[in-house]
Each structure stands twice: as structure tokens, then as C-alpha cells.
């Protein structure tokens, strides 16, 4: 008996295979250099299946890092903030996410990295998704945007560690606005100083 076209009967692990391939590609080459076609090739599927299961590359990345929110939506304040107020906007936005129910996933990813997990996906998310638009705005001399964003990331990772894991007071209980007012100027100096 010959089988007709389409998916074979029975359970399919295609979605999980694509996720595993995407996780590996994003970790190996980063968000920008990983293409839907290369992910599909690594998974052994047609690129149309990647689009079928996940939509865009951006949506696939969100699924890979298990983010409960779309970064494009929650990071909109960073795109809209004036350059001279960007430091406070970054602190307010990121701490606001960490303090929300959506922050549980970010904290879990951070804990996994601290415990010796694969840091490449978190690095890719920070540098190529969350802060990429900021990097482009602060790249005053060729290549210094990368340095500026690395300094911002170091500051924000420190705030995350202090506030959420070590729970050091008074940082752990400061309001988002107070934390933004106190840490924002340092972040601003990294961005434009």
C-alpha cells in the first residue's frame, strides 16, 4: 500500500526538532546570522514548516528562549525614548520586566547561566534582540556601540543579580522609579558619555 502526500500518520516531533535546531543555530551563530533556511536545513525539514510552526524568525527565537512576552512589544519604550533619557528608560524597562510575572523566565535563564549553563542564548538575546536598536543609536564611532552595550549589559546583569538573586537591600525593595533614577545616570554615561 502506498502512502499519499502529507505528513505520515502518528505523533510528530517536527516542532521539537525545529526548536532544537534553532536553539543550536542561534547559540552557534547568533540571531542575525541564523536564517530560517539554515535552521530548516539543520532540522532536516522544509523552511515552510518552520514558518508553519513558528511564523517569523523573531517568533521562533522567542519560543527558543521561552520568553513569555514578545520583546518587540515590551522593549518599545527603548525605541521611543530620547537619546538623553535612554539610560533611565533601559533601567525602568528591564527592571519592570523582571518585576513582572514575565520576569520569571528571564530569571530562570539567568540562574541557569550562573549555574554553568549555556550563556550563548542569553548573550544573543541581550545583544542581538533586546539592546540591538540601542546599540545602533549609540554607535558614535565605528564599533564603539558594541563596547557601550557591553557596559550597559554588565550594569544591568549586576542589578538583576543584586535585586533578584542576592536580594540585597535597599536595592531589592526599591521602586522601579527610584532604581531608574539612581542607576539610570550610570547607564546613560555608558551610552553617551
Amino acid at each position: 500500500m502506498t502512502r499519499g502526500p502529507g505528513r505520515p500518520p502518528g505523533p510528530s516531533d517536527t516542532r521539537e526538532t525545529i526548536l532544537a535546531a534553532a536553539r543550536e543555530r542561534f547559540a552557534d551563530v547568533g540571531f542575525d546570522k541564523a536564517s530560517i533556511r539554515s535552521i530548516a536545513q539543520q532540522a532536516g525539514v522544509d523552511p515552510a514548516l518552520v514558518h508553519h510552526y513558528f511564523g517569523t524568525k523573531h517568533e521562533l527565537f522567542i519560543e527558543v528562549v521561552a520568553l513569555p512576552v514578545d520583546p518587540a512589544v515590551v522593549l518599545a519604550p527603548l525605541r521611543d525614548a530620547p537619546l538623553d533619557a535612554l539610560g533611565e528608560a533601559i533601567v525602568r524597562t528591564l527592571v519592570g520586566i523582571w518585576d513582572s510575572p514575565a520576569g520569571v523566565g528571564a530569571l530562570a535563564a539567568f540562574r541557569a547561566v550562573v549555574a554553568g549553563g549555556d550563556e550563548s542564548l542569553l548573550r544573543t538575546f541581550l545583544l542581538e534582540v533586546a539592546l540591538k536598536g540601542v546599540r545602533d543609536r549609540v554607535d558614535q564611532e565605528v564599533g564603539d556601540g558594541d563596547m557601550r552595550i557591553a557596559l550597559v549589559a554588565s550594569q544591568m546583569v549586576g542589578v538583576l543579580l543584586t535585586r533578584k538573586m542576592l536580594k540585597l537591600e535597599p536595592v531589592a525593595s526599591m521602586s522601579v522609579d527610584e532604581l531608574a533614577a539612581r542607576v539610570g545616570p550610570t547607564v546613560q554615561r555608558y551610552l553617551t558619555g
Side-chain angles (χ1 to χ4, degrees):
M1 174 185 241
T2 60
R3 195 179 68 76
R7 188 175 74 73
S12 171
D13 62 347
T14 303
R15 189 174 197 286
E16 289 72 29
T17 301
I18 294 169
L19 276 174
R23 189 173 293 110
E24 192 172 317
R25 287 296 296 161
F26 288 138
D28 288 347
V29 301
F31 179 79
D32 286 341
K33 292 181 182 165
S35 67
I36 292 289
R37 184 173 301 283
S38 70
I39 291 166
Q41 183 178 14
Q42 187 157 335
V45 300
D46 188 279
L49 272 178
V50 178
H51 289 293
H52 169 75
Y53 283 108
F54 301 100
T56 66
K57 181 171 81 165
H58 185 81
E59 292 167 321
L60 174 58
F61 186 79
I62 291 168
E63 189 84 18
V64 164
V65 295
L67 293 174
V69 293
D70 184 343
V73 174
V74 296
L75 297 173
L78 301 184
R79 285 190 308 272
D80 300 336
L83 188 57
D84 64 349
L86 197 49
E88 282 195 30
I90 287 172
V91 175
R92 185 172 281 107
T93 300
L94 294 181
V95 173
I97 293 167
W98 299 335
D99 286 356
S100 75
V104 173
L107 187 57
F110 185 73
R111 283 184 192 277
V113 168
V114 170
D118 184 3
E119 76 288 339
S120 56
L121 282 178
L122 186 56
R123 180 177 49 243
T124 295
F125 172 72
L126 273 174
L127 299 180
E128 296 184 29
V129 177
L131 296 174
K132 181 181 180 183
V134 173
R135 180 182 61 222
D136 295 343
R137 290 178 66 187
V138 300
D139 196 13
Q140 297 169 358
E141 298 175 24
V142 177
D144 85 333
D146 290 334
M147 176 203 57
R148 291 174 181 278
I149 291 307
L151 290 168
V152 169
S154 73
Q155 184 73 37
M156 295 313 300
V157 166
V159 170
L160 175 62
L161 178 68
T162 303
R163 185 172 177 90
K164 293 298 188 179
M165 292 180 71
L166 300 176
K167 298 183 181 182
L168 292 178
E169 292 298 344
V171 173
S173 60
M174 275 184 191
S175 72
V176 172
D177 290 335
E178 184 178 3
L179 201 55
R182 292 186 180 272
V183 178
T186 299
V187 173
Q188 188 66 43
R189 186 175 59 79
Y190 291 151
L191 293 168
T192 59

